[in-house]
Amino acid sequence: MNTLVEIDQLKTVLHASDEPIRAVDGLSLKIASGETFALLGESGCGKSMTALSIMRLLPDVGEIISGQIRIKGVDLLQLPEFAMRSIRGKRISMIFQEPMLSLNPVMTIAEQIHEVLTQHGRLSHSAAQQRIVELLEQVGIPDAEHRMHEYPFQFSGGMKQRAMIAIALAGEPELLIADEPTTALDVTIQAQVLDLLRQIQQRNHMAILLITHDLGVVAEMAQQVGVMYAGEIVEMANREDFFNHPAHPYTQQLFASLPEKHKRNHALAVIQGAVPSLAQTFSGCRFADRCQQAMVVCHENIPQWHSITDDHQVRCHLYDSKNQHTERSAVINDSIIFGAPDKNAGIETMTPVSPLLRVTDLKVHFPIRKGLFKRIVGHVCAVDGVSLQISAGKTLALVGESGCGKTTIGKSILQLIQPTAGSILFKNQELTSLSRSQLQKIRSQFQIIFQDPFSSLNPRMRIRETLLEGMNALRVTPLSDTHNEQEIDTLLQRVGLPIEVKWRFPHEFSGGQRQRIAIARALAVNPELLICDEPTSALDVSVQAQILNLLKSLQDNLGIAFLFITHNIAVVEYLADEVAVMYLGRVVEQGQVDEIMDTPKHPYTQALLSSVPKIKQDRVIPLIRLKGDLPSPVAPPSGCHFHPRCPRAMPICRETYPAISTFSNSHTTHCFLYSQES
């Protein structure tokens, strides 16, 4: 193996409290040239801090106290800072998890890429401009020649992530550290980005350290896998051994937490508790307090490494020779893997006479103004004639690429965006005709969980104040301070956070923890309809399982309805009752979840489902890679909006928009491949 990067006994501490926090505690790994090494684990396990240690970009309170980080034999920890500047961006580059915090808001995207090219190359101005366009086109930015001169705030969340990837690849690094590089991307763009990373990796023989919580991405990308828990790696294996024979109880429970179709009527397995504080000194296994198979020795002695095969090592007492006869064969039982049976499974509730929410021919068109007098010269057709309905206690999943109008639909239902046309009936009451004061009286009945919790939480308010604000503003009868405190404590516990965090500020939490706070805020006023805009996209699988179980229990016990906006198809299969597939402002296919997942009809739906990374490569639908990007909603294509990218387009598709085609009482699509209704 041609080793490119070798990390040996790396220890990084954070001096953020009275006791040092051992964020990375004795980590060792090797990455070969041209190899992808995936690092898995929950939020707070030290994955991102490992990446920042390699780049030597630790926060002011961070310090590497021991260990070695060698790239082709050169120890980066022995280099002065000025020497590291020539390595960052050229030999080692990084894609950060939150692009909005990493991109410079006062520089255009072109200027930020040009900065890298200037630092590490000697390109002329014209050559640099051409190179910038090439990079942006590679990562799927449409109209790159013009959009390169825009600022980060003018890009969607997914496009900001793609711009961040372009900046990281500008110097053609030997090692690319990718910290959740596809978390903000929908599955079709994710497939393009992963293809791009593979192509660049093969062409440049680049190594990748991939930090992710998506096991499907790991299965498609990685050759080696390391599982990190509480600052140390607890299991290391090649891809085949890892997915076929996960050995550590923590790894097994991560797999058991994955949402899947066959678990739909069961609660997902949840890893109880939280990652322990890294400010303490450990005397036993760090996972012992949460482990389903813990023994007395696990609490008393630190486990050592054990080899299962030459390419598979695990740090666990279950594999000690003295415990093998009783413990090594232990596996997680079915109740852990599949969860306890849902007590409401198989109990059908009566469908109400009228749905809780009925949206009819909804349109949201944003005017484009130009000139001195700001005359309207066109419209952005963000939502263009969408109809859907949700019954009480049911979940409608809304899926589609970034920019297709999913979030706009959610905000317009809540009247956060004024619809251009159409009807929105909530409990048979027309929302579009209500005044602001009338809306205020019923706003507690429908709430939203925003996609980016960092932007939606007030940075100057403690968590207690954030939760209390909505409770006081939307309640007809205020409750006592004691009762409010009890409710706040209950809310935090329900979303998997300890009570004491209510005195902290949003910046003191990880991304996943901030999302849980945002969910608690939405639940604080007991809504009947909850619009969930990518609520689990920032969460690792174990925390995602907690949130999905929470949402399911709320629905079972309180009858809450969900409009679930997501690009995670596994979550759709597990949680949704119905699915609506959107493309460029319109719903192109809609039906029951099994109808859409098992027999997708529209070519776009087929491409969307085929792009989902799978742990087991048993695709029923052939792999379909869409070319190009979503067209601009300012000037949508004539006829069927999907025809420029459709592999099965016909001449009629370019001329007129297809009427509805019906396959069952619930399954419909708009496509000329099927008989049209008059």
Side-chain angles (χ1 to χ4, degrees), residues 336-357:
I336 299 170
I337 293 178
F338 299 110
D342 188 344
K343 64 182 179 182
N344 295 308
I347 302 176
E348 296 185 2
T349 57
M350 292 183 63
T351 304
V353 176
S354 59
L356 179 71
L357 176 74

Side-chain angles (χ1 to χ4, degrees), residues 550-562:
L550 169 64
L551 294 177
K552 259 188 173 295
S553 66
L554 288 169
Q555 193 168 64
D556 292 338
N557 298 326
L558 304 176
I560 296 178
F562 298 126

Side-chain angles (χ1 to χ4, degrees), residues 351-358 389-392 425-428:
T351 304
V353 176
S354 59
L356 179 71
L357 176 74
R358 186 192 297 273
Q389 62 183 39
I390 309 174
S391 299
L425 288 174
F426 179 76
K427 296 168 70 173
N428 292 321

Side-chain angles (χ1 to χ4, degrees), residues 118-419:
T118 303
Q119 176 72 21
H120 301 293
R122 296 182 179 180
L123 295 177
S124 65
H125 180 74
S126 60
Q129 295 299 303
Q130 184 178 351
R131 175 65 176 149
I132 292 169
V133 173
E134 289 174 357
L135 284 165
L136 292 177
E137 287 177 342
Q138 278 185 333
V139 296
I141 301 292
D143 195 17
E145 194 169 346
H146 293 95
R147 301 214 65 172
M148 63 188 274
H149 300 297
E150 294 182 355
Y151 291 88
F153 76 88
Q154 295 173 282
F155 279 37
S156 68
M159 290 181 66
K160 282 196 282 278
Q161 186 69 293
R162 282 179 269 173
M164 190 73 232
I165 293 171
I167 294 171
L169 295 175
E172 298 186 347
E174 298 174 56
L175 172 66
L176 177 66
I177 301 173
D179 189 357
E180 302 282 5
T182 60
T183 295
L185 306 182
D186 45 73
V187 290
T188 54
I189 302 302
Q190 174 180 265
Q192 293 178 18
V193 169
L194 295 180
D195 272 348
L196 169 66
L197 292 178
R198 276 192 292 261
Q199 291 168 14
I200 295 173
Q201 183 177 41
Q202 292 169 4
R203 186 173 67 241
N204 300 340
H205 210 52
M206 176 180 71
I208 298 176
L209 175 59
L210 178 66
I211 298 172
T212 183
H213 61 254
D214 191 329
L215 289 167
V217 171
V218 173
E220 290 203 355
M221 289 289 293
Q223 286 80 47
Q224 297 291 325
V225 184
V227 180
M228 198 166 183
Y229 185 79
E232 66 179 13
I233 291 180
V234 297
E235 184 170 2
M236 200 177 298
N238 60 38
R239 176 176 55 197
E240 289 73 22
D241 286 346
F242 178 77
F243 285 102
N244 292 331
H245 308 288
H248 198 281
Y250 176 59
T251 310
Q252 294 172 350
Q253 290 185 240
L254 284 179
F255 276 97
S257 300
L258 290 173
E260 293 178 297
K261 180 179 178 179
H262 70 269
K263 301 178 184 178
R264 191 180 298 165
N265 292 325
H266 301 80
L268 292 173
V270 170
I271 305 176
Q272 300 296 334
V275 177
S277 169
L278 300 182
Q280 63 181 293
T281 300
F282 294 95
S283 58
C285 174
R286 302 181 184 201
F287 187 59
D289 291 338
R290 306 172 71 192
C291 183
Q292 302 282 348
Q293 306 177 58
M295 304 173 289
V296 175
V297 67
C298 300
H299 297 276
E300 297 175 348
N301 297 329
I302 295 174
Q304 303 301 311
W305 282 104
H306 301 279
S307 294
I308 297 175
T309 68
D310 291 341
D311 296 320
H312 192 178
Q313 290 81 40
V314 62
R315 191 196 297 260
C316 180
H317 284 299
L318 292 176
Y319 299 88
D320 290 345
S321 57
K322 61 184 178 182
N323 298 318
Q324 282 184 9
H325 66 285
T326 57
E327 301 291 348
R328 182 164 182 174
S329 60
V331 294
I332 294 181
N333 60 48
D334 289 345
S335 65
I336 299 170
I337 293 178
F338 299 110
D342 188 344
K343 64 182 179 182
N344 295 308
I347 302 176
E348 296 185 2
T349 57
M350 292 183 63
T351 304
V353 176
S354 59
L356 179 71
L357 176 74
R358 186 192 297 273
V359 178
T360 306
D361 200 26
L362 178 67
K363 295 183 180 180
V364 182
H365 295 176
F366 298 106
I368 302 171
R369 302 177 185 272
K370 285 188 177 180
L372 180 63
F373 298 102
K374 300 297 181 183
R375 291 190 177 92
I376 297 175
V377 296
H379 288 85
V380 177
C381 302
V383 180
D384 197 22
V386 167
S387 298
L388 50 86
Q389 62 183 39
I390 309 174
S391 299
K394 297 294 182 181
T395 299
L396 172 65
L398 199 57
V399 299
E401 292 176 279
S402 298
C404 71
K406 304 187 300 297
T407 299
T408 304
I409 287 179
K411 289 182 177 179
S412 61
I413 289 172
L414 298 180
Q415 302 301 294
L416 300 177
I417 294 175
Q418 187 64 39

Side-chain angles (χ1 to χ4, degrees), residues 87-98:
I87 290 177
R88 296 191 198 104
K90 181 62 178 176
R91 299 191 70 182
I92 306 176
S93 195
M94 183 168 176
I95 302 168
F96 294 91
Q97 183 174 359
E98 296 189 32

Side-chain angles (χ1 to χ4, degrees), residues 17-31:
S17 58
D18 294 338
E19 294 293 328
I21 298 171
R22 300 170 183 84
V24 183
D25 196 11
L27 180 139
S28 298
L29 60 84
K30 294 181 181 180
I31 308 175

